[in-house]
Amino acid sequence: MSLINLTINGKAVAVEEGTNILEAAKRVNIKIPNLCYLHIDDIGFDNSCASCRVCLVNADGRLVPSCATLAKEGMKVETNTPEIIEFRKGVVELLLSDHPQDCFTCTKCGNCGLQDIAVQLGIKKIRFEGERLEKSKDYSSFSIMRDNDKCILCRRCETMCNKVQTVGVLSGVNRGFSTEIGTFFETDLAKTECTFCGQCINVCPTGALLEKDNTEDVWELLAQKEKPVMVQIAPAVRVGISEEFGLRPGTISTGKVVAALKALGFDYVFDTNFAADLTIMEEANEFVNRLTKGGDLPIMTSCCPAWVNFCESQYPDLTKYLSTCRSPQSMFSPIARYYFADKVLDKKPDEVSIVSIMPCVAKKYEVKREELGEDGILDTDLSLTVRELARMIKSAGIDLENIEEENFDSPLGYSTGAADIFGVTGGVLEAALRTAYTDVTKEELSDDAIEFKAVRGFEGIKEATVNVAGTDVRVAAASSLGCARKLMDELRADIAAGREPKYHIIEIMACPGGCVNGGGQPFTNGDYEKVKARGAGLYTIDKNKPQRKSHENEDIKKLYDEFLGERGGHNAHKYLHTHYFDKSNTYLKKIEDFSDECLNNNI
């Protein structure tokens, strides 16, 4: 590829043809402020709509948006003249003039792109006083809150929802001053095909999109003394929360998080990893049964609630391929409620409370699914994101960096290395293969063969073939719902043509990179290296565990002996498995009705 030579603020720069001015400036450490622009090459995310105009520069005597203007041979660019700085201030002041002045009480305070740029530009007052349009708010879902009063129309959420995740729920509506990001027919988010993956939250620069805050509800649980409060933490939490306290991305903070949760007042602190091992015991058993007895293949993982929601709403005809296993969160809670509460605490199921700490906002939706409960008692009371937990820890004055580490409580706190890698794309698949191999061959994988590196990495779709007792098991791992769609369309086509499906096992994580990049993790602001560092942290934990296969967990074996019975048996199905629904009708029916109306009225 040929190089383009230009100068930026007098500095010579050589960049590849097709590079925009903003990216070219980064090569010589010149920072051009911007709000709408965001490029994440690792996941194919490119938002360069040039809507905010904050990144304007002077290129060969013309003011142009640097994010949407390509570098040209011999171009002379100035980024910080008094004229440009004054223009940027005016643009930001206009944005602020139609923005709620509630920074101190906004959850995004301290992590808001608009706030940061206002500070950088030294804006002390807003010169423009005009009409402020009150726009729509949507608090209908259990997972995501939308406040369009705080939206700056950067379109990042729209790009993520439509181009990367291919869900297609968010879009610009109306015109002019009334423009906002909304849903078809202004339908409540809870009634659309939104999967609640939360990736729109991760790219929103302001507080227009946030997770539903349940911290006050958890504080209330901790304040009452009648019911013991248990808490479980997911694998990706221990490598994500570190960044909220200034630690290096990927820092392993397991013992510190446990100590912080106990300091907050939780009576029992357990590890969702215990249930991840349990998931593998059931999922591997289910796969082997399908493989050897002619069941529906490929088996598709069901650990990710956003992916399950996506499959139910957009591919209901393929739900029979989903594993019936619940997610680790939804396996852990009934074990805690119906086994631990009874055996250890001598409590009835409704006499304990269970909270989960997840890297995910879709888990908030998952805990409200009525089938994940019994006799009107939901298995999990509340689910918090990593960001919510960080806010609680900070408000309690707990110094996470220097707190003395503590251990999980027993017996629901022990796990193998296979459970830790659940938090990174390809990890569930790798963990399942470690146990499925033993289930089929009755042999143990050697230490040098235990790592299935072909399914590791952050590519959108990873494929591999693993020989198990003479059978070539074809596997795939998809990272992001856009990549999931490619695999589902391929599977549909194979079925329609009467062809044998390409794979035996498919793992799907809705969030690009897996749970380490979940919608509830600390904001990366587009820095995917942080996501990779979190994943590396989980692989380090796995590498250093004395046991790395789920079927080696002695506490899991004891649970089967004392409570569950055999793998895949009656009690296992009662507490560890679930069923799925066809959710394709509600939202699509509205679209079909609208189309019919247009046709009938010649619109």
Side-chain angles (χ1 to χ4, degrees):
M1 183 178 289
S2 59
L3 292 179
I4 300 293
N5 296 286
L6 68 158
T7 60
I8 304 178
N9 295 348
K11 293 185 177 181
V13 189
V15 296
E16 297 83 3
E17 188 176 2
T19 303
N20 64 39
I21 295 173
L22 193 151
E23 292 292 341
K26 290 180 181 179
R27 305 286 176 88
V28 286
N29 297 316
I30 293 174
K31 183 178 180 181
I32 301 174
N34 61 91
L35 276 171
C36 64
Y37 177 76
L38 185 62
H39 181 77
I40 311 173
D41 187 60
D42 295 87
I43 62 174
F45 181 93
D46 184 26
N47 194 74
S48 51
C49 60
S51 64
C52 73
R53 278 338 204 223
V54 173
C55 71
L56 284 176
V57 296
N58 187 311
D60 292 338
R62 295 187 305 120
L63 286 179
V64 296
S66 61
C67 71
T69 305
L70 299 182
K72 294 181 180 179
E73 182 67 33
M75 179 182 275
K76 294 182 179 180
V77 178
E78 293 178 303
T79 73
N80 57 4
T81 65
E83 176 194 21
I84 292 171
I85 292 172
E86 190 60 29
F87 190 94
R88 284 182 190 146
K89 282 185 176 181
V91 169
V92 174
E93 285 181 66
L94 284 169
L95 287 171
L96 290 171
S97 72
D98 191 36
H99 198 82
Q101 308 300 311
D102 62 352
C103 290
F104 289 128
T105 57
C106 179
T107 304
K108 283 281 278 189
C109 183
N111 210 331
C112 170
L114 180 59
Q115 185 184 58
D116 288 346
I117 287 179
V119 172
Q120 290 168 19
L121 292 174
I123 294 174
K124 303 298 182 183
K125 62 180 181 178
I126 302 168
R127 291 171 291 171
F128 309 108
E129 294 183 8
E131 180 184 357
R132 180 176 294 169
L133 187 66
E134 188 172 336
K135 298 181 179 179
S136 64
K137 297 177 176 60
D138 183 356
Y139 304 141
S140 63
S141 89
F142 296 117
S143 299
I144 297 172
M145 299 189 298
R146 294 174 56 241
D147 183 354
N148 274 332
D149 278 345
K150 297 180 180 180
C151 178
I152 59 170
L153 296 176
C154 70
R155 306 282 180 155
R156 288 185 185 182
C157 61
E158 189 178 352
T159 298
M160 178 60 77
C161 188
N162 294 299
K163 299 296 177 63
V164 178
Q165 298 297 67
T166 68
V167 176
V169 166
L170 298 176
S171 179
V173 296
N174 302 325
R175 294 288 185 271
F177 193 49
S178 299
T179 302
E180 59 181 279
I181 304 299
T183 60
F184 186 75
F185 274 148
E186 299 182 358
T187 305
D188 287 345
L189 204 59
K191 296 178 181 178
T192 69
E193 289 187 317
C194 177
T195 67
F196 312 119
C197 69
Q199 287 302 304
C200 57
I201 298 174
N202 278 3
V203 295
C204 178
T206 65
L209 288 159
L210 288 168
E211 71 270 19
K212 182 69 72 73
D213 193 320
N214 293 116
T215 54
E216 288 301 320
D217 302 313
V218 174
W219 282 122
E220 288 178 13
L221 280 183
L222 294 173
Q224 58 80 35
K225 300 300 179 184
E226 294 78 22
K227 293 183 180 182
V229 184
M230 308 180 207
V231 63
Q232 54 164 311
I233 70 165
V237 174
R238 67 210 68 202
V239 292
I241 196 169
S242 314
E243 296 160 44
E244 288 280 353
F245 296 88
L247 299 174
R248 177 178 50 82
T251 298
I252 300 165
S253 300
T254 313
K256 293 180 179 296
V257 177
V258 173
L261 288 166
K262 291 184 176 181
L264 285 172
F266 287 98
D267 297 291
Y268 297 93
V269 181
F270 294 124
D271 197 350
T272 310
N273 281 8
F274 175 87
D277 276 336
L278 194 55
T279 301
I280 290 303
M281 296 297 285
E282 290 297 307
E283 195 169 85
N285 180 69
E286 185 181 8
F287 165 66
V288 171
N289 281 336
R290 292 195 194 187
L291 181 68
T292 59
K293 298 177 182 178
D296 292 319
L297 290 175
I299 187 171
M300 302 190 300
T301 61
S302 53
C303 297
C304 172
W307 147 239
V308 169
N309 206 1
F310 182 77
C311 190
E312 287 179 318
S313 62
Q314 305 214 16
Y315 295 91
D317 53 311
L318 301 182
T319 54
K320 69 177 183 177
Y321 296 99
L322 283 170
S323 167
T324 61
C325 290
R326 301 183 183 193
S327 72
Q329 170 185 260
S330 295
M331 280 195 183
F332 177 91
S333 294
I335 296 304
R337 192 176 292 281
Y338 295 97
Y339 169 71
F340 182 82
D342 175 51
K343 184 175 178 63
V344 178
L345 304 182
D346 193 26
K347 297 282 186 181
K348 296 178 181 178
D350 61 348
E351 293 177 339
V352 297
S353 298
I354 300 172
V355 176
S356 70
I357 312 297
M358 296 286 137
C360 173
V361 296
K363 292 293 183 184
K364 292 175 178 286
Y365 147 81
E366 184 184 53
V367 302
K368 299 299 183 182
R369 291 184 67 129
E370 292 181 3
E371 71 273 17
L372 300 178
E374 188 177 338
D375 299 327
I377 305 170
L378 291 174
D379 292 333
T380 311
D381 291 285
L382 294 164
S383 181
L384 297 181
T385 64
V386 179
R387 294 190 294 263
E388 286 174 284
L389 175 60
R391 293 199 293 269
M392 290 184 69
I393 292 172
K394 290 173 183 177
S395 67
I398 297 169
D399 182 359
L400 188 78
E401 182 178 1
N402 296 305
I403 196 170
E404 187 174 342
E405 295 187 1
E406 295 190 40
N407 295 320
F408 287 110
D409 292 309
S410 293
L412 310 183
Y414 181 79
S415 64
T416 70
D420 289 284
I421 59 177
F422 262 57
V424 65
T425 179
V428 178
L429 179 54
E430 181 175 352
L433 288 171
R434 293 179 186 180
T435 292
Y437 180 91
T438 299
D439 284 346
V440 173
T441 66
K442 310 305 177 188
E443 299 175 356
E444 292 292 342
L445 283 164
S446 61
D447 290 341
D448 58 352
I450 199 172
E451 296 179 353
F452 293 88
K453 293 186 177 179
V455 298
R456 294 188 177 186
F458 289 83
E459 298 84 5
I461 297 176
K462 301 177 288 292
E463 301 173 309
T465 300
V466 180
N467 189 276
V468 179
T471 299
D472 284 338
V473 177
R474 301 181 302 276
V475 302
S479 172
S480 84
L481 292 175
C483 290
R485 185 179 294 281
K486 293 176 183 177
L487 293 183
M488 292 306 99
D489 287 344
E490 187 177 277
L491 176 57
R492 245 184 199 167
D494 286 340
I495 294 168
R499 295 188 296 264
E500 180 184 358
K502 186 177 180 181
Y503 306 106
H504 293 94
I505 311 175
I506 297 176
E507 179 210 287
I508 294 177
M509 292 289 183
C511 296
C515 303
V516 288
N517 189 34
Q521 287 277 36
F523 295 113
T524 63
N525 298 315
D527 185 355
Y528 210 68
E529 293 306 310
K530 291 182 179 179
V531 177
K532 293 177 180 178
R534 296 169 189 170
L538 292 180
Y539 284 123
T540 298
I541 298 173
D542 168 43
K543 190 87 173 177
N544 293 330
K545 283 280 185 77
Q547 294 177 315
R548 301 179 66 190
K549 305 166 204 167
S550 296
H551 57 275
E552 295 175 332
N553 189 328
E554 293 297 327
D555 287 342
I556 293 288
K557 295 177 184 177
K558 185 178 179 181
L559 178 65
Y560 276 101
D561 290 340
E562 294 184 352
F563 183 66
L564 292 174
E566 64 180 354
R567 291 166 68 184
H570 173 75
N571 265 7
H573 266 277
K574 180 178 180 180
Y575 295 109
L576 308 180
H577 291 254
T578 187
H579 53 279
Y580 305 105
F581 303 90
D582 181 344
K583 296 182 178 179
S584 61
N585 296 325
T586 310
Y587 195 53
L588 291 179
K589 186 69 167 59
K590 276 196 169 188
I591 297 175
E592 289 169 2
D593 290 345
F594 176 70
S595 298
D596 290 341
E597 183 182 343
C598 290
L599 288 171
N600 293 335
N601 291 283
N602 296 317
I603 298 175

